[in-house]
Amino acid sequence: MERLKKELVINHARYSILLDSPRIRYRQWGRFPSDHMKETVSFDNTCFSNGLTVTRLMQSQGTPSIAIFKKTETSDVFSALSQLPLRWALLAGDHDLGETLEGFTARSKTEPILDLDCTVLERTDSEGTACLWVAPKSHDCTVLKYEYHNADKLLVSSHIQYKIDKDWGQVPTTCDLKSFYGNENLLRNSYKYFFDVLHAKASIPAEEFQVKFPHGARVWDSRKRDADGKVIPYTVK
């Protein structure tokens, strides 16, 4: 890890998100560096949720693996997948999949971003302080910037840009997300998302949110446990 902190590793991936709150299907696929960074390997990970249960299908080198658990066992699907900026850009105010402004208070002065006077909102809890830069009503009160601090050290920062769509209003075009080693002030990860295609439908069939278990996959279902409370893994026949 000490060596990797000093090296820059770049990889590319594609994302697909299907939303019908509280249902979600999230897929990420591409290639990423191997442990020794001598080659890249392919991966294809998909996460399904119906609002109560979360299922993760992970396919890379070797046997596919599936993890199933209740949603209450993790904070939520998006934060587990490090997609916090998407929650502000696509699902603001959604109690199931998005983020609300509960607990946030406004600073007395606005701050400019892209020539817009943004309202700055803050929320502090036992772990740190979250800050949002919210555009005026003329730009649909979109979140243009997000930061999370702990002990005055920046841990996460993201910037989101939008365009005006004649049917949807403000829609995201790019999102830059950076995370840092707080105790060392070093860049940990940096992501740049490009929103290529957005579609809207009146209804989405339920089967679009159901995972198909591949033959031979190893499954860990935390809802099923033995007498000692341990998860009982099984293989898909």
Side-chain angles (χ1 to χ4, degrees):
M1 284 303 299
E2 292 301 320
R3 179 177 65 85
L4 293 178
K5 287 180 182 179
K6 300 175 184 178
E7 298 189 16
L8 176 64
V9 182
I10 300 176
N11 64 293
H12 302 272
R14 294 190 64 83
Y15 298 82
S16 172
I17 302 175
L18 188 64
L19 297 169
D20 186 11
S21 182
R23 301 181 300 173
I24 179 175
R25 187 187 74 199
Y26 169 91
R27 181 186 174 207
Q28 176 189 13
W29 70 100
R31 300 185 68 84
F32 67 94
S34 63
D35 292 339
H36 300 290
M37 295 194 299
K38 294 182 179 179
E39 59 181 355
T40 60
V41 295
S42 62
F43 71 96
D44 193 334
N45 300 331
T46 309
C47 184
F48 301 80
S49 177
N50 59 7
L52 299 175
T53 302
V54 176
T55 302
R56 287 189 182 137
L57 169 60
M58 292 162 280
Q59 302 180 86
S60 183
Q61 304 299 304
T63 304
S65 63
I66 297 173
I68 306 172
F69 47 89
K70 295 179 180 179
K71 187 181 177 183
T72 53
E73 295 179 23
T74 184
S75 56
D76 52 67
V77 179
F78 267 112
S79 66
L81 295 169
S82 301
Q83 303 303 308
L84 182 62
L86 302 189
R87 299 173 63 185
W88 291 114
L90 300 176
L91 295 159
D94 187 291
H95 286 272
D96 291 304
L97 297 175
E99 279 279 0
T100 70
L101 297 180
E102 183 179 356
F104 280 91
T105 58
R107 291 180 185 173
S108 58
K109 295 183 179 180
T110 60
E111 293 186 14
I113 294 182
L114 300 175
D115 297 325
L116 297 173
D117 286 329
C118 295
T119 300
V120 186
L121 305 177
E122 291 184 335
R123 180 176 65 191
T124 300
D125 54 28
S126 59
E127 296 182 356
T129 299
C131 301
L132 299 173
W133 281 257
V134 182
K137 289 183 179 180
S138 60
H139 287 68
D140 291 349
C141 298
T142 50
V143 173
L144 300 182
K145 181 180 175 182
Y146 168 84
E147 287 186 354
Y148 191 82
H149 299 257
N150 180 276
D152 296 327
K153 293 186 180 294
L154 180 62
L155 299 183
V156 178
S157 174
S158 63
H159 294 256
I160 307 171
Q161 292 187 343
Y162 301 81
K163 68 179 180 180
I164 298 178
D165 182 271
K166 63 183 181 64
D167 297 318
W168 293 19
Q170 297 282 345
V171 296
T173 57
T174 62
C175 176
D176 289 281
L177 170 65
K178 294 182 179 180
S179 63
F180 300 87
Y181 293 100
N183 58 338
E184 301 176 63
N185 195 30
L186 289 174
L187 180 67
R188 184 170 187 171
N189 292 303
S190 178
Y191 302 91
K192 184 158 188 175
Y193 302 94
F194 296 90
F195 298 87
D196 298 315
V197 181
L198 293 172
H199 293 292
K201 293 184 179 181
S203 61
I204 303 175
E207 54 266 25
E208 295 285 350
F209 298 94
Q210 295 173 357
V211 61
K212 296 180 181 179
F213 287 21
H215 177 74
R218 192 69 168 162
V219 181
W220 284 264
D221 189 344
S222 67
R223 300 170 301 171
K224 301 176 181 179
R225 300 175 182 269
D226 60 19
D228 296 324
K230 296 182 179 179
V231 175
I232 306 174
Y234 62 90
T235 301
V236 178
K237 301 296 186 181

